[in-house]
Amino acid sequence: MTEWSETWTWVDGAWHDGNPLIAGPSTHAMWMSSSVFDGARAFEGVFPDLDLHMARANASAQTMGMKATMAVGEMMELAREGASKFEPGVAVYIKPMYWAEKGGLGVIAPDPESTRFCMNLFAAPMPAADDSFSVTLSPYRRPTPETAMVDAKAGCLYPNNARAYVEAHDRGFDNALVRDMMGNVAELATANIFMAKDGVVYTPYPNGTFLNGITRQRIIKLLRGAGYEVREGNLRIEDFLEADEIFSTGNFSKVMPANRIEDRELEHGPIAKRARELYWEFAHA
């Protein structure tokens, strides 16, 4: 039996302790994958960029052919209300979700009028400042906008990321660099990716094959504001193999450095450290 962390879910107007059953075998999302979500964080009494995460959940629903039924402000209130159910000091993952209950055109399309919503929150400790990860190159690639709805945070996109993640773990690595169809590095299996070389910060240009993460955008803005040169562009695996430092950005871990790429050890560099410090300063401002 799966062991769940402390979890609260708001659905159909009420809060439920734990993991309520909300779908059946005829639910469109169960067999046609019409579901989207987003992820925000509550930690140390702050909710950084909560409005942007809620807005992206609505945009993802619309991209997937569903109807965004909740206003951003309503979702923010629910997120704060849900977070208050946890003991003070508990870090929480905040997950608004939309899914289609019924099929629409040709059955395979969702019926937008059947869109349902829930707000799910669960306890998830923040990684420590000295946590890090090892990384390898994945043999798998990201889809293009012509092949998948890559501009939505959709559940149906994650099995591809999962197989890259599992394949990397099977080879003794914590995560994997995933390329786009042109052979450029796009992101990690679970987060956006940055590297630094000779004091300059580089990150893949958001070319539509991966989500331009909210934390990614925030880190770029914070680093530039602190005087760092940040370049978005096409990056190859060779660039990462020769990098001085590599670090990830994402909602779950915020900023985390890499300690190894393939067989090469990496130091926890000063730019990654500063990026994390800047994010915490922003979050608490």
Side-chain angles (χ1 to χ4, degrees):
M1 181 177 179
T2 301
E3 292 293 331
W4 301 93
S5 64
E6 182 184 1
T7 303
W8 285 92
T9 302
W10 185 94
V11 64
D12 297 333
W15 285 102
H16 303 267
D17 184 0
N19 187 46
L21 303 181
I22 56 176
S26 294
T27 297
H28 192 265
M30 280 285 290
W31 67 308
M32 291 292 175
S33 300
S34 54
S35 67
V36 299
F37 71 99
D38 214 282
R41 274 293 208 169
F43 62 96
E44 301 171 10
V46 298
F47 298 74
D49 286 327
L50 182 62
D51 56 337
L52 299 181
H53 286 285
M54 301 301 108
R56 190 171 64 178
N58 279 354
S60 292
Q62 293 166 343
T63 295
M64 289 288 287
M66 292 182 285
K67 189 174 184 178
T69 60
M70 299 287 289
V72 168
E74 291 178 295
M75 289 190 283
M76 292 176 68
E77 289 180 12
L78 280 175
R80 294 181 182 278
E81 184 179 331
S84 71
K85 296 181 176 294
F86 296 81
E87 290 294 322
V90 174
V92 176
Y93 190 94
I94 301 168
K95 183 167 51 126
M97 302 179 69
Y98 284 107
W99 73 98
E101 185 64 33
K102 299 178 181 179
L105 185 65
V107 180
I108 63 171
D111 175 5
E113 297 303 320
S114 74
T115 303
R116 297 182 65 192
F117 172 85
C118 75
M119 177 71 72
N120 175 256
L121 299 90
F122 59 90
M126 296 293 292
D130 59 353
D131 283 351
S132 57
F133 64 96
S134 57
V135 65
T136 184
L137 178 65
S138 175
Y140 303 116
R141 300 206 179 191
R142 290 287 304 171
T144 63
E146 298 84 2
T147 61
M149 295 173 175
V150 290
D151 54 340
K153 198 169 177 67
C156 61
L157 296 173
Y158 279 78
N160 188 54
N161 290 39
R163 67 176 182 165
Y165 191 70
V166 170
E167 192 273 341
H169 272 254
D170 287 345
R171 292 193 284 112
F173 294 89
D174 299 317
N175 216 318
L177 291 168
V178 183
R179 291 168 293 178
D180 61 24
M181 292 299 181
M182 288 72 73
N184 300 309
V185 172
E187 62 173 358
L188 291 174
T190 60
N192 292 129
I193 191 69
F194 286 73
M195 56 164 277
K197 182 71 174 179
D198 298 329
V200 178
V201 181
Y202 300 85
T203 189
Y205 178 79
N207 61 5
T209 64
F210 63 94
L211 277 181
N212 181 6
I214 290 169
T215 306
R216 174 191 181 276
Q217 295 176 58
R218 180 62 62 189
I219 290 297
I220 290 174
K221 184 176 181 180
L222 290 172
L223 284 173
R224 286 175 173 165
Y228 290 92
E229 181 181 358
V230 182
R231 300 180 186 176
E232 298 177 87
N234 293 330
L235 297 171
R236 311 292 284 192
I237 182 60
E238 292 80 11
D239 297 310
F240 284 88
L241 291 172
E242 297 173 0
D244 296 330
E245 16 178 338
I246 297 172
F247 60 95
S248 67
T249 64
N251 176 61
F252 192 88
S253 302
K254 298 309 179 186
V255 181
M256 183 180 288
N259 57 38
R260 178 166 60 100
I261 180 168
E262 303 300 356
D263 59 355
R264 179 179 165 232
E265 301 294 326
L266 291 168
E267 296 293 329
H268 186 168
I271 295 178
K273 288 180 181 178
R274 186 60 183 141
R276 192 178 193 276
E277 291 170 355
L278 288 168
Y279 189 88
W280 253 252
E281 291 169 9
F282 154 74
H284 286 277

